[in-house]
Amino acid sequence: MKNITILGSTGSIGTSTLDVIENFPDDFKVTGLTANSNVELLVQQAIKFRPEIVAITNSEKAKLVSSRLKGKKIEVVSGIEGLIKAASFEKADLVVSGIVGSAGLIPTMAAIEAGINIALANKETLVMAGGLILKEAKKRKVKIIPIDSEHNAIFQCLENIRPKFIKNIILTASGGPFLNLEKKFLKNVTPAETVKHPRWKMGAKISVDSATMMNKGFEVIEAKYLFDISFDKVKVLIHPESIVHGLVELIDGNFMAVLSRTDMRIPIQHALTYPEKKKGYLPSLDMNSIKNLSFKEPDMDRYPCLSYAYRAGITGGTMPAVLNAANETAVHSFLTNKIKFTDISRIIKTVIDKHDPVSNPRLEEILSADSWARKESEKLCF
Ligand code: NDP
Ligand code: MG
């Protein structure tokens, strides 16, 4: 029996993780759940899965959760301290890091410091503080298993491959909902059109990141840290069918790839059962029905966020954290109708151009660069 704590249990990754857990009742037990503000779903999940601890960021809402869970022997905690307590709850064998955005960094770090293995969906953690996270994980002998579908695929490809045999790692990208839209129309797309992803059903923020391809840019940085590989060996290909999730090109001309249906429960099941494998409960990919698998290089002019991510990643230090904070602020402003879709990349460029990065930053320096970038971005979001 593996004990699992889910950070961000009420989100898209969180609910998919609980679906996997529900299908393997003899293998997994839920020890902790966390949410930001969705009281109703958190309470329903707690009643169904009986964790020992639940955390909700908002302290007023925590009172409501406590009263709804009265007599159920579930500890209810709140605020960032509560989140840290749930993330580092010692009975967990694995923490699923499924909070969205920079809010995931501190609790993920807390779980690592407590020596608990991580199934990582929250890529922003590695974008902001990849160096520190990897260092701490190594020190505590913590295993980080990627849930992000591309990295999960590459992780599986690399299991028996020596690093010196790798020529390139290739992340596939769907190209998002506007892949075939003429560039001149991008400035008028609405938030509702943007979050309607053609292949994946995800939270709002990552759906916007997918449309700008900042998501892929973050994934390039994520891959650099997870697989300890230089940026010139991390490539991106647009693959609209989203069937091949990740590829590894080897020096002898062979390619390895992982193919599956576009359903996050597949990489989540892999990460939860790792290093074992369990018979899947979802329908398998019907190879016979696949008519076409196409790949093409992304046009950096159309997807400037991807090039900013490479630039920030290569610069390193506090620059990726600034990239992330500027993106988070701009995406939030776009989703609340304050700016246009095309303003997102413009704002990010202005802020990264202005930043003087600190190299080998400590956590405080990363957090201070993050708040500087938020303030700078907010000035541009109107
Ligand atoms: P969602 O928006 O669906 O869910 C986010 C979760 O985080 C919710 O449980 C939410 O709680 C919680 N949360 C939000 N803000 C805070 C905060 N300030 N403090 C604490 N908790 C918070 O996001 P996704 O599930 O789509 O994405 C989660 C992460 O996984 C992201 O980093 C994303 O990039 C990554 N990812 C997602 C994929 C997907 O298919 N969705 C695929 C690959 C990676 P509440 O519900 O109460 O607001
Ligand atoms: Mg991905």
Side-chain angles (χ1 to χ4, degrees):
M1 192 61 110
K2 212 182 253 184
N3 290 328
I4 317 266
T5 288
I6 307 171
L7 308 177
S9 64
T10 49
S12 162
I13 290 291
T15 49
S16 292
T17 304
L18 286 171
D19 189 81
V20 174
I21 290 175
E22 203 180 347
N23 278 280
F24 295 94
D26 299 332
D27 298 288
F28 305 120
K29 185 187 172 329
V30 175
T31 38
L33 297 172
T34 85
N36 189 41
S37 62
N38 192 341
V39 172
E40 199 46 52
L41 185 55
L42 182 65
V43 166
Q44 276 176 28
Q45 292 176 340
I47 291 170
K48 186 166 175 186
F49 291 94
R50 296 301 173 122
E52 292 185 42
I53 186 165
V54 301
I56 183 148
T57 321
N58 183 305
S59 56
E60 278 310 303
K61 294 200 168 173
K63 286 183 198 150
L64 207 57
V65 175
S66 289
S67 76
R68 297 274 303 276
L69 295 179
K70 207 166 171 206
K72 301 252 187 294
K73 296 203 182 111
I74 300 174
E75 184 181 359
V76 179
V77 291
S78 71
I80 181 70
E81 306 74 30
L83 213 52
I84 290 172
K85 186 168 184 188
S88 51
F89 186 65
E90 72 280 0
K91 286 192 192 161
D93 302 305
L94 184 73
V95 164
V96 174
S97 172
I99 289 175
V100 60
S102 56
L105 172 61
I106 301 288
T108 305
M109 185 60 115
I112 296 173
E113 282 170 351
I116 307 168
N117 288 337
I118 306 289
L120 186 76
N122 177 257
K123 63 196 87 184
E124 295 90 341
T125 287
L126 287 184
V127 172
M128 292 177 74
L132 290 182
I133 290 282
L134 268 287
K135 195 168 148 203
E136 194 61 30
K138 197 170 173 198
K139 185 168 140 198
R140 312 267 177 188
K141 297 194 171 59
V142 162
K143 188 99 193 145
I144 299 180
I145 308 133
I147 280 183
D148 210 351
S149 54
E150 300 76 4
H151 305 71
N152 183 272
I154 290 162
F155 181 87
Q156 296 190 58
C157 290
L158 290 181
E159 252 180 308
N160 295 307
I161 298 292
R162 281 180 248 168
K164 66 176 182 184
F165 296 160
I166 304 169
K167 184 171 177 196
N168 286 308
I169 276 177
I170 301 158
L171 306 170
T172 53
S174 69
F178 309 130
L179 178 64
N180 299 315
L181 188 72
E182 253 188 87
K183 198 178 161 205
K184 65 177 182 200
F185 296 123
L186 282 178
K187 66 176 187 303
N188 293 323
V189 299
T190 64
E193 288 162 343
T194 309
V195 300
K196 227 186 276 156
H197 195 276
R199 301 277 169 202
W200 300 95
K201 208 172 159 294
M202 310 182 286
K205 192 252 176 190
I206 184 176
S207 299
V208 179
D209 290 348
S210 208
T212 60
M213 273 186 85
M214 181 57 95
N215 180 50
K216 213 47 55 181
F218 286 164
E219 291 183 356
V220 167
I221 301 174
E222 183 184 12
K224 182 239 158 7
Y225 286 110
L226 283 174
F227 307 120
D228 191 18
I229 191 162
S230 57
F231 281 104
D232 60 325
K233 291 185 175 174
V234 186
K235 312 275 194 228
V236 172
L237 282 177
I238 293 183
H239 167 52
E241 297 83 14
S242 299
I243 289 170
V244 177
H245 300 297
L247 293 130
V248 176
E249 183 181 2
L250 301 169
I251 51 171
D252 61 0
N254 283 301
F255 281 74
M256 298 174 82
V258 166
L259 289 74
S260 69
R261 290 175 61 228
T262 46
D263 188 323
M264 284 308 292
R265 291 173 296 178
I266 295 172
I268 291 171
Q269 179 181 323
H270 168 268
L272 260 50
T273 57
Y274 180 85
E276 298 296 322
K277 273 203 183 286
K278 292 269 169 194
K279 188 171 180 295
Y281 67 98
L282 298 164
S284 196
L285 179 64
D286 177 11
M287 295 299 282
N288 193 41
S289 71
I290 299 171
K291 300 282 172 281
N292 187 30
L293 292 177
S294 60
F295 301 90
K296 71 168 182 188
E297 278 181 14
D299 169 3
M300 293 289 191
D301 212 39
R302 187 185 177 87
Y303 296 107
C305 288
L306 181 56
S307 67
Y308 303 152
Y310 269 106
R311 185 183 135 194
I314 292 163
T315 305
T318 44
M319 194 58 101
V322 164
L323 173 89
N324 177 66
N327 179 63
E328 224 165 279
T329 312
V331 168
H332 177 73
S333 298
F334 170 67
L335 285 171
T336 48
N337 293 304
K338 289 200 192 91
I339 61 169
K340 289 189 179 296
F341 181 78
T342 41
D343 291 330
I344 300 174
S345 59
R346 183 183 54 79
I347 289 166
I348 293 165
K349 179 167 189 308
T350 309
V351 177
I352 60 173
D353 278 349
K354 212 170 166 186
H355 182 58
D356 189 9
V358 177
S359 45
N360 299 314
R362 289 175 286 115
L363 188 59
E364 306 81 76
E365 289 167 321
I366 291 171
L367 297 176
S368 122
D370 171 280
S371 57
W372 172 83
R374 276 168 210 278
K375 283 193 203 102
E376 288 298 316
S377 315
E378 267 155 26
K379 287 188 219 159
L380 305 165
C381 288
F382 52 82

